[in-house]
Amino acid sequence: MSVIWFECKVKYKKTHETGEQKMTTDTYLLDAVSYTEAEARISEEMTAYTSEDFRIMNIKVANFSEVHPFENSDRWFKSKVSLVALDEESGKEKKTNIYLLVQANDVKEAFENTTKAMEETMGDYSIPSITESPILDVFPYFSDEEEQLEKFNVLDADESSEPETAEDTEEVV
């Protein structure tokens, strides 16, 4: 199942470094299955983030194919990646653009991180543009239940790969 990313703009009072509070509109990214779930999730995240009242100003589907967080990075960059394929009928190159959201500290690092994210790609590609994104934070969907289920499935798979003993395979006549 593919992930649908939603950009959510939220307006709230933010305390600045000077100590004064100003109304601010910030953009956040989260994955959800619908607009309704996206609204519920951003409300939940913002309630944990601020004690002030907030308003959800806009929710829209984002066009990111993938999101790549990197440690020790504090900003998000939108990388346009052009995948190059050869059209066998016409013999011409065909470019398909995808967009990655990559975490980095500056544009140079964003380019390097985009290249790292594309390491497994078999085909040719180019990176025509990288721009800083207004997104402050990303909230991927991952519940504790999924984590526990994943651990259970790994344990279950390990147990099922054990060889059977002669006692286990005896036929009852």
Side-chain angles (χ1 to χ4, degrees), residues 9-12 53-58:
K9 289 191 179 189
V10 182
K11 189 173 190 172
Y12 62 100
D53 289 340
F54 60 88
R55 286 185 55 198
I56 299 169
M57 304 305 289
N58 188 14

Side-chain angles (χ1 to χ4, degrees), residues 4-18:
I4 302 172
W5 292 101
F6 289 88
E7 269 185 48
C8 303
K9 289 191 179 189
V10 182
K11 189 173 190 172
Y12 62 100
K13 282 186 180 177
K14 187 175 189 176
T15 306
H16 293 273
E17 294 159 2
T18 59

Side-chain angles (χ1 to χ4, degrees), residues 141-155:
Y141 183 81
F142 196 78
S143 70
D144 293 337
E145 292 173 12
E146 280 183 322
E147 191 175 76
Q148 302 232 344
L149 185 61
E150 196 173 279
K151 287 178 185 175
F152 177 77
N153 286 341
V154 168
L155 289 174

Side-chain angles (χ1 to χ4, degrees), residues 38-49 54:
E39 182 179 12
R41 289 206 48 229
I42 195 63
S43 295
E44 182 181 321
E45 294 291 346
M46 292 307 296
T47 302
Y49 181 71
F54 60 88

Side-chain angles (χ1 to χ4, degrees), residues 1-155:
M1 187 171 146
S2 66
V3 176
I4 302 172
W5 292 101
F6 289 88
E7 269 185 48
C8 303
K9 289 191 179 189
V10 182
K11 189 173 190 172
Y12 62 100
K13 282 186 180 177
K14 187 175 189 176
T15 306
H16 293 273
E17 294 159 2
T18 59
E20 69 178 306
Q21 287 191 333
K22 287 187 178 178
M23 286 302 279
T24 307
T25 302
D26 288 331
T27 305
Y28 298 93
L29 188 75
L30 53 85
D31 66 329
V33 293
S34 66
Y35 284 92
T36 306
E37 184 188 8
E39 182 179 12
R41 289 206 48 229
I42 195 63
S43 295
E44 182 181 321
E45 294 291 346
M46 292 307 296
T47 302
Y49 181 71
T50 182
S51 60
E52 300 290 328
D53 289 340
F54 60 88
R55 286 185 55 198
I56 299 169
M57 304 305 289
N58 188 14
I59 297 176
K60 68 177 183 177
V61 175
N63 63 345
F64 297 114
S65 298
E66 299 173 10
V67 174
H68 295 276
F70 285 88
E71 286 187 27
N72 303 321
S73 301
D74 61 349
R75 299 185 318 204
W76 291 95
F77 291 84
K78 183 176 186 175
S79 297
K80 179 180 180 181
V81 178
S82 295
L83 303 173
V84 181
L86 186 63
D87 185 3
E88 292 183 21
E89 291 178 17
S90 65
K92 295 181 182 178
E93 283 187 350
K94 180 181 176 186
K95 289 186 178 181
T96 304
N97 295 325
I98 61 170
Y99 295 91
L100 308 181
L101 187 67
V102 179
Q103 198 172 22
N105 292 311
D106 56 32
V107 175
K108 181 180 181 237
E109 189 177 319
F111 178 82
E112 292 166 359
N113 290 349
T114 301
T115 304
K116 282 180 195 172
M118 296 298 293
E119 278 179 347
E120 301 293 318
T121 305
M122 299 295 271
D124 293 336
Y125 67 90
S126 63
I127 305 170
S129 72
I130 296 176
T131 56
E132 188 169 355
S133 168
I135 294 169
L136 280 189
D137 207 352
V138 175
F139 304 112
Y141 183 81
F142 196 78
S143 70
D144 293 337
E145 292 173 12
E146 280 183 322
E147 191 175 76
Q148 302 232 344
L149 185 61
E150 196 173 279
K151 287 178 185 175
F152 177 77
N153 286 341
V154 168
L155 289 174

